[in-house]
Amino acid sequence: MSANPLSEKEVAALRGDFPILARTVRGGKPLVYLDSGATSQKPTAVLDAERDFYTRLNSAPHRGAHALSEEATAAYESARERISAFVGGRPDELVFTKNATESLNLVTHAFLMGGHPAIPGSERFTLDEGDEVLVTEMEHHANLVPWQELCRRTGATLRWFPVTPEGRLDLSDIDTLLTERTKVLALAHVSNVLGTVNPVQMLAERAHQVGALVVLDACQSVPHMPVDAPSLGVDLLAFSGHKMLGPMGIGGLWGRSEVLDALPPFLTGGSMIETVRMEASTYAAPPQRFEAGVPMAAQAVGLAAAVDYLQAIGMDRVHAHEAALTERLLDGLAQRPWVRVLGPTDMVDRSGTVAFDVEGVHAHDVGQILDDAGVAVRVGHHCAWPLHRALRVTASARATFGIYTTPAEVDALLTALDRVPAVFGIETGAR
Amino acid sequence: MSANPLSEKEVAALRGDFPILARTVRGGKPLVYLDSGATSQKPTAVLDAERDFYTRLNSAPHRGAHALSEEATAAYESARERISAFVGGRPDELVFTKNATESLNLVTHAFLMGGHPAIPGSERFTLDEGDEVLVTEMEHHANLVPWQELCRRTGATLRWFPVTPEGRLDLSDIDTLLTERTKVLALAHVSNVLGTVNPVQMLAERAHQVGALVVLDACQSVPHMPVDAPSLGVDLLAFSGHKMLGPMGIGGLWGRSEVLDALPPFLTGGSMIETVRMEASTYAAPPQRFEAGVPMAAQAVGLAAAVDYLQAIGMDRVHAHEAALTERLLDGLAQRPWVRVLGPTDMVDRSGTVAFDVEGVHAHDVGQILDDAGVAVRVGHHCAWPLHRALRVTASARATFGIYTTPAEVDALLTALDRVPAVFGIETGAR
Amino acid sequence: MDLYQELILEHSKRPHRMGLREPFDAEVHHVNPTCGDEVTLRVDVEDGTVKDISYDALGCSISVASTSVLATEVTGESVEEALEVFKHYRAMLMSKGKDPGDEEQIGDGVAFSGVSQYPARVKCALLGWSAFTDALAQAGVDISTISSDAAAPTA
Amino acid sequence: MDLYQELILEHSKRPHRMGLREPFDAEVHHVNPTCGDEVTLRVDVEDGTVKDISYDALGCSISVASTSVLATEVTGESVEEALEVFKHYRAMLMSKGKDPGDEEQIGDGVAFSGVSQYPARVKCALLGWSAFTDALAQAGVDISTISSDAAAPTA
Ligand SMILES: Cc1ncc(COP(=O)(O)O)c(C=O)c1O
Ligand SMILES: Cc1ncc(COP(=O)(O)O)c(C=O)c1O
Ligand code: FES
Ligand code: FES
């Protein structure tokens, strides 16, 4: 990608759209928000879009014939169209969920139905003893625990690609791991700890050769780089709105039409039905089949505004901006031998997520020192506990970026970090 | 309840808090919003609370140690405390969901686990052939279809209380319907079509005598009258935020501690875990066990503001206000013999939901004539298709109220309704 | 309100060609999930001509009238012509008021042009017509000239 | 920052009474799910007196130091006194800065008063202590004087 990073002036202008960035913490220190990987900040345009929905159109979409409901339905469906297009999909290929976690559970629960009598083709989504689900050791709990539960309940076996010490997928055993027994390959596009960008296209191709369904956790790619679901070759793709400048409480599940068509419903209730009798019901076509109850229409409208905002910048430029910040941080950390970076230390197939460990100091204590300087990073296992075990650390500190992050903020992190050795009395190897 | 209805002046003042009520539809006609049962309008205080969260505290609650995350966590948990108290609960008795539909599915899916090895006491939530689930014929699809699916998958039998022509539960066969075989009684507190208030306390007592779990769909009671879950004697209680002046995308499930403690998890993923290994995981205590993924914290804060707003008015006064409107509408409809009211025509155990049928004219056509006059009512089966079948109508028109509804709006509905016979050439029996 | 044209009200009160008749090549049953309305519709196709459309409809004035107009306009036409009429009729309904409909092409179907302003009612005006194209397909007629989303518009 | 008192840093670097010893009446294993930190803790109770607290702790400075202070302060006390110390210590942590802690009551525990300003760290300062009260309960001690939510505060 040869796009230019954002200029200092551009970022400064952008920051004006995020009122929270002007606030101070811990007794007057300017907020340095380096936790966008957990959740991003929201531009005024997104907040305005939501408020506009509430103050002009608010009513239940797909549930009325009156003027307000017509307008709310149109706004909701226009949001679906724009957000689906953002990941390369058609309007009816996008299901709204509350977050990526629900999107992934929607898929694992489909397999628990053991095929649904009212959904032709749903027999495809069954798992039995002897079948296998393949994940990776770097998965977020959201793309691991649901598969564990699914395997526990169906008798299928969970297998996983291990992670190399450098934080890449170890594919050396691919021929024994990805076989005719594999019914599902579920993996992260980008690791939320290591920043590693996985070779999705290649793996999806291999998985399809053995007839497996490919489920992509795109939580950490969709907000940060151009993502085109069809050309990645995956079958289903989950993402979260709140990580991509959108409101909380909304996520997405993109699915190829043929796949969604055959997928049994998950949550059942109003508006996902075709006919209901006391004895039994039949179900609507996707995406409605998966959207039971009054949907988060205001949040969909807000997320569409977020997508518009990102597209106005250009996702290749968003990516270039964050890559520049990542490089700056990796360079700075490389000069501090008492810091160990988890994950790739170069920029090849790497995204803007930098986790690190100060040897001899617990990540929570590191984070506390940074926080005291106004620098907000995430500490802990970041919902990727098995990955931390594999890398032989209990926890790490993690800096993540957004379009509003500045090089000066990276430097502020490094400066604050330099207080750590003194406070906790560890050797820095300097002097 | 002897509380006073809101005075004209009070309602006029309140309406200033709902900017949407000032808008016009269909070529300049003032909006007369009589569809609050589908979703309520939101006061500025709620929109401000959400926006304030986003512009001051936005970050992922329960996922960080930095200042912002601490503040967001505190705001989120304070919201839980206030909202739980609103239905008579303790803080850890309230689970946040995306809507009432998810709340109810959370319960039905718990039974699909067949008991969870990691949750002591969860064996209680199992269903087998021979077991029965008892619902009513007046349920919203959200409290019917999930139980159908559960019965289909476990081999249990779904039974139901029928509805009398007057729109009350027909309890004459209670002794054959509610028996030792009954494992769950799931019912609506208030019908979203008929306005009928069901005798929950008595039924819960009877159900507990046979050892059944009692699940209450309180979607149409919590927003409109004082509700105290513990004194109703139910085990679990579901409601939706968007129907009670709160934001879209948030719902609640209140549960007695002992019940929640033993309930297996539903959605799995981040932040609902205790420990995670590749092989298996263990789960957190409620309410965290049921809140996988980044939650809708901003919406929780908004909903807490809605609860504050309602409490400042007083739920007994809210109820009195809506009762006065209901009586006015029922009186007006009684003077129009060509209109048939579905549900009780007096005010005994009746809430502010008035569904009606103009004989010889389809509800959608009735709704269209009203809409043309700016009057927004809901038309169709209102997600209660079996109830409509039982009452021998395909569809109905339904007016529902909020605290901002005025007597003049009820009159506007009646005036607009009077156009219907002329347009569709039906006999009114007048003159 | 442009919606309730006199012609619509008349057809809805006295639907033409109603009832289920023999012989027929295919019978379908379509439901509008949002309102619960239903139509059962039969087609009799002979030598590429729509010989009969018979139906039983339970629904709003728009859905009943549009099914009645369908039966009136299309019976006796060739299947190609019938599909052409459908395409033009649907285009008008989907146009949000931009396409007033051409009487040359869709005959009395133009009475439904007002429906396009009311998205929630577009399904009503298509209920019988979607059933018809579905029935044609089940009778072995190639309906690929109308796009695949035709049968199930999401309004 | 009031958090990292000298005493905390010292205890975290050189935790007192660490290691798992015999004899013991109960052993528990507690985990802090948000960070993955763990503590294994044993108590030896004799004639109503806490004879020994031995432990293995993997965690942040706050959790290690607080477990070390626990072992130092409470070993040799009667179980009643130990539970009293716990109650006062917890009250201080939960006070959001309002209760500075009383050295008479909780000894070196007062060094942790700064933690109450950092809600995300309260769990750290309680990890070892919750394990301790849990271990007492498992050893058959009546711990009802401390309320039931004590063992699992939701910070
Ligand atoms: C009685 C009743 N139950 C359940 C629901 C479902 O609520 P939601 O759509 O918010 O999930 C509704 C409203 O739609 C309702 O009125
Ligand atoms: C890679 C990855 N997957 C899944 C999730 C879960 O997303 P959410 O919490 O929005 O459901 C996250 C973020 O928390 C993530 O980073
Ligand atoms: S309202 Fe049912 S088809 Fe028109
Ligand atoms: S960070 Fe884990 S116990 Fe303190």
Side-chain angles (χ1 to χ4, degrees), chain A residues 222-240:
Chain A
V222 169
H224 302 293
M225 57 184 68
V227 170
D228 184 69
S231 68
L232 284 172
V234 301
D235 295 303
L236 293 152
L237 179 150
F239 59 96
S240 266

Side-chain angles (χ1 to χ4, degrees), chain D:
Chain D
M1 194 170 23
D2 315 322
L3 192 58
Y4 295 112
Q5 300 291 316
E6 203 48 50
L7 187 128
I8 293 182
L9 293 170
E10 273 169 22
H11 273 270
S12 80
K13 263 175 269 172
R14 278 169 295 277
H16 300 190
R17 308 186 63 80
M18 199 161 181
L20 292 171
R21 292 178 292 275
E22 314 238 338
F24 62 96
D25 294 305
E27 175 181 305
V28 298
H29 180 75
H30 275 213
V31 176
N32 182 342
T34 51
C35 55
D37 289 332
E38 312 179 31
V39 62
T40 307
L41 187 142
R42 294 177 177 175
V43 286
D44 178 25
V45 181
E46 227 165 88
D47 299 333
T49 297
V50 180
K51 281 270 294 202
D52 193 18
I53 300 176
S54 69
Y55 62 95
D56 202 2
L58 186 77
C60 68
S61 62
I62 307 289
S63 72
V64 172
S66 65
T67 309
S68 169
V69 167
L70 159 75
T72 322
E73 291 292 331
V74 167
T75 307
E77 303 286 331
S78 70
V79 292
E80 287 78 24
E81 280 160 339
L83 291 173
E84 275 305 297
V85 176
F86 171 75
K87 262 167 51 183
H88 289 296
Y89 175 73
R90 185 184 58 187
M92 174 191 76
L93 290 175
M94 297 299 195
S95 75
K96 302 200 168 136
K98 276 179 223 122
D99 172 359
D102 182 345
E103 200 163 343
E104 296 277 297
Q105 292 166 336
I106 61 174
D108 280 352
V110 293
F112 295 86
S113 66
V115 174
S116 75
Q117 310 265 21
Y118 298 90
R121 304 307 294 274
V122 170
K123 261 189 195 166
C124 305
L126 277 173
L127 186 63
W129 289 74
S130 307
F132 168 62
T133 56
D134 187 15
L136 281 187
Q138 296 199 16
V141 172
D142 171 15
I143 64 162
S144 61
T145 53
I146 65 177
S147 96
S148 68
D149 9 350
T154 34

Side-chain angles (χ1 to χ4, degrees), chain A residues 66-282:
Chain A
H66 56 74
L68 227 51
S69 170
E70 272 179 9
E71 292 181 32
T73 305
Y76 181 58
E77 292 303 327
S78 149
R80 190 194 306 278
E81 192 170 329
R82 282 138 75 200
I83 298 163
S84 191
F86 186 66
V87 295
R90 290 188 281 129
D92 56 359
E93 290 182 333
L94 182 70
V95 176
F96 285 123
T97 59
K98 69 174 175 176
N99 55 22
T101 302
E102 185 194 335
S103 302
L104 293 162
N105 275 270
L106 190 162
V107 180
T108 60
H109 280 80
F111 278 93
L112 280 174
M113 306 289 275
H116 194 292
I119 311 290
S122 63
E123 321 76 56
R124 167 167 184 201
F125 301 100
T126 41
L127 274 186
D128 286 308
E129 278 179 54
D131 289 339
E132 294 179 2
V133 171
L134 181 56
V135 298
T136 87
E137 209 177 16
M138 64 167 78
E139 293 313 307
H140 187 281
H141 295 165
N143 199 31
L144 169 61
V145 185
W147 298 110
Q148 287 180 342
E149 282 290 332
L150 175 62
C151 289
R152 184 180 71 72
R153 287 160 69 185
T154 56
T157 304
L158 187 72
R159 311 199 70 178
W160 54 87
F161 286 118
V163 171
T164 68
E166 293 71 40
R168 303 270 178 201
L169 286 186
D170 178 351
L171 300 176
S172 52
D173 282 338
I174 188 166
D175 291 328
T176 54
L177 285 170
L178 186 58
T179 69
E180 299 288 328
R181 287 187 302 279
T182 312
K183 291 293 170 286
V184 181
L185 168 66
L187 83 165
H189 193 180
V190 172
S191 158
N192 71 314
V193 177
L194 310 166
T196 312
V197 181
N198 288 319
V200 172
Q201 225 165 348
M202 181 274 279
L203 288 170
E205 222 166 277
R206 291 284 299 256
H208 282 151
Q209 279 164 17
V210 299
L213 187 83
V214 181
V215 181
L216 192 69
D217 174 356
C219 277
Q220 295 294 345
S221 55
V222 169
H224 302 293
M225 57 184 68
V227 170
D228 184 69
S231 68
L232 284 172
V234 301
D235 295 303
L236 293 152
L237 179 150
F239 59 96
S240 266
H242 67 90
K243 292 187 199 281
M244 50 191 285
L245 313 188
M248 290 179 149
I250 183 161
L253 178 69
W254 171 89
R256 287 198 296 112
S257 292
E258 316 85 82
V259 174
L260 285 185
D261 280 346
L263 206 65
F266 169 38
L267 302 174
T268 57
S271 297
M272 51 74 67
I273 55 94
E274 193 183 58
T275 56
V276 178
R277 301 181 174 273
M278 286 311 288
E279 296 77 15
S281 304
T282 58

Side-chain angles (χ1 to χ4, degrees), chain B residues 46-329:
Chain B
V46 168
L47 306 184
D48 287 348
E50 259 205 271
R51 198 179 184 100
D52 180 65
F53 178 91
Y54 283 132
T55 55
R56 282 204 313 116
L57 319 179
N58 180 62
S59 60
H62 289 300
R63 265 159 199 78
H66 55 74
L68 227 50
S69 170
E70 273 179 7
E71 292 180 33
T73 305
Y76 180 59
E77 292 304 328
S78 148
R80 189 195 305 280
E81 194 171 327
R82 282 141 73 201
I83 298 164
S84 191
F86 186 67
V87 295
R90 289 187 282 129
D92 56 359
E93 289 181 333
L94 182 70
V95 176
F96 286 123
T97 59
K98 70 174 175 178
N99 54 24
T101 302
E102 184 194 336
S103 301
L104 293 163
N105 275 269
L106 191 162
V107 180
T108 60
H109 279 80
F111 278 94
L112 281 174
M113 306 289 275
H116 194 291
I119 311 291
S122 63
E123 322 74 55
R124 165 164 185 205
F125 301 100
T126 40
L127 274 187
D128 286 309
E129 279 179 53
D131 288 340
E132 294 179 0
V133 171
L134 180 57
V135 298
T136 87
E137 207 176 16
M138 64 167 77
E139 293 313 307
H140 187 282
H141 296 165
N143 200 29
L144 169 61
V145 185
W147 298 108
Q148 285 180 344
E149 282 290 332
L150 175 62
C151 289
R152 184 180 69 75
R153 288 161 69 182
T154 56
T157 303
L158 186 72
R159 309 199 70 177
W160 54 89
F161 286 118
V163 171
T164 68
E166 293 70 41
R168 303 270 177 202
L169 286 185
D170 177 352
L171 301 175
S172 52
D173 281 337
I174 187 165
D175 292 327
T176 52
L177 285 171
L178 186 58
T179 69
E180 299 288 328
R181 288 185 303 276
T182 311
K183 292 292 170 286
V184 181
L185 168 66
L187 82 165
H189 193 179
V190 172
S191 158
N192 71 314
V193 177
L194 310 167
T196 313
V197 181
N198 288 318
V200 171
Q201 223 164 348
M202 181 273 279
L203 289 171
E205 222 166 275
R206 291 284 299 258
H208 282 150
Q209 279 164 15
V210 298
L213 186 83
V214 181
V215 180
L216 192 68
D217 173 356
C219 277
Q220 295 294 346
S221 56
V222 169
H224 302 293
M225 57 183 69
V227 170
D228 184 68
S231 68
L232 284 172
V234 300
D235 296 302
L236 294 152
L237 178 149
F239 59 97
S240 266
H242 67 91
K243 292 187 199 282
M244 50 191 284
L245 312 188
M248 290 180 150
I250 183 161
L253 178 69
W254 171 88
R256 285 197 297 111
S257 291
E258 316 87 81
V259 174
L260 285 186
D261 279 347
L263 205 66
F266 169 38
L267 301 175
T268 58
S271 297
M272 52 72 68
I273 56 94
E274 191 183 59
T275 58
V276 178
R277 301 179 176 275
M278 286 310 287
E279 296 77 13
S281 304
T282 59
Y283 302 117
Q288 273 70 34
R289 184 188 300 159
F290 306 105
E291 296 183 359
V294 172
M296 59 300 279
Q299 287 81 4
V301 167
L303 182 54
V307 157
D308 292 347
Y309 190 94
L310 286 170
Q311 279 177 326
I313 300 172
M315 288 310 292
D316 45 356
R317 297 203 67 209
V318 169
H319 184 63
H321 174 64
E322 296 185 12
L325 296 168
T326 305
E327 215 164 349
R328 189 182 190 96
L329 180 53

